[in-house]
Amino acid sequence: MKTTHKATHTQSPPYAELAVTTNFSFLRGASHPEDYVAEAARLNLAGLGIADRNTLAGVVRAHVALKETDAAESGLKLAIGCRLVFTDGTPDLLVYPEDRAAYGRLSRLLSLGKRRAEKGECLLTLDDLLASCEGLCLILMPPEKIGDETKSALNRIISQAPNHLWLGATPLYRGRDKTRLQTLATLAKRSNIPLIA
């Protein structure tokens, strides 16, 4: 007996990948920014967030690729930012400036961290960020174990930038993601901040 299935095409909700690490994050990212832009356009993503580790280096090539190819015609939006990695135990934060002034503050923050460190390193603390966080959209990326340091960082950031903070919900793929995501959802609700996947 031969059966036929009628294909149903439903439009999937828009998706933006916000934690892209390029080859400018040495030993952590592999692909060129322009390759990510091309692939995001091919996959019809709504957006792409370049978030290299303590640098804005990858965003320049991504921006040029968006302008010089047909990626922009696909509707792809590019979020320009970085992933701040701290030396004081603060969980990583994805940081996206809302405007040119905030981009300038983020650039100065990164320069401060690089001046303190040896070449190729960046030494930043949460206090450094909080002193210049105006106009920055922040996504706290919780570590594997969500403890007091994560909760303390959340509370401190909420006090400085209450409407500019999201809690990242990322799976670890180790068999306990359902429990982890529930813990993050509870923490976000208690902290009165949105959860972002």
Side-chain angles (χ1 to χ4, degrees):
M1 176 189 226
K2 186 176 182 183
T3 61
T4 59
H5 297 284
K6 197 176 205 179
T8 59
H9 296 331
T10 59
Q11 188 173 2
S12 57
Y15 175 77
E17 178 57 59
L18 296 176
V20 175
T21 303
T22 75
N23 61 337
F24 284 95
S25 291
F26 186 61
L27 297 178
R28 288 177 175 83
S31 295
H32 298 289
E34 51 271 34
D35 294 338
Y36 280 119
V37 168
E39 186 64 7
R42 188 187 73 75
L43 292 171
N44 202 29
L45 297 186
L48 184 68
I50 301 295
D52 281 312
R53 182 183 170 95
N54 291 335
T55 184
L56 293 164
V59 301
V60 175
R61 285 193 185 176
H63 182 72
V64 169
L66 185 68
K67 295 292 183 191
E68 293 182 351
T69 66
D70 59 356
E73 293 172 16
S74 72
L76 180 69
K77 303 291 184 201
L78 183 64
I80 294 184
C82 72
R83 181 183 196 114
L84 293 181
V85 179
F86 299 93
T87 59
D88 61 359
T90 299
D92 294 0
L93 282 159
L94 303 182
V95 180
Y96 293 101
E98 291 182 329
D99 54 32
R100 186 174 288 204
Y103 182 87
R105 282 189 289 279
L106 178 57
S107 296
R108 285 189 295 279
L109 176 67
L110 291 168
S111 295
L112 171 70
K114 290 179 186 302
R115 278 195 311 267
R116 292 177 178 160
E118 293 184 25
K119 186 174 180 178
E121 296 296 321
C122 186
L123 301 176
L124 291 172
T125 65
L126 182 56
D127 287 334
D128 297 326
L129 171 66
L130 294 178
S132 58
C133 68
E134 182 184 347
L136 298 177
C137 295
L138 309 168
I139 302 172
L140 189 133
M141 303 300 287
E144 184 173 345
K145 292 185 180 180
I146 302 160
D148 290 338
E149 282 184 338
T150 301
K151 294 172 186 173
S152 174
L154 268 176
N155 291 333
R156 291 189 62 204
I157 297 167
I158 289 168
S159 70
Q160 290 288 114
N163 299 317
H164 293 272
L165 177 63
W166 289 259
L167 181 61
T170 56
L172 299 176
Y173 302 108
R174 296 187 187 145
R176 298 185 48 85
D177 284 335
K178 185 175 180 180
T179 302
R180 174 183 170 79
L181 294 176
Q182 184 57 52
T183 300
L184 291 171
T186 301
L187 180 58
K189 187 174 183 178
R190 284 184 186 154
S191 303
N192 199 29
I193 58 170
L195 192 66
I196 188 167

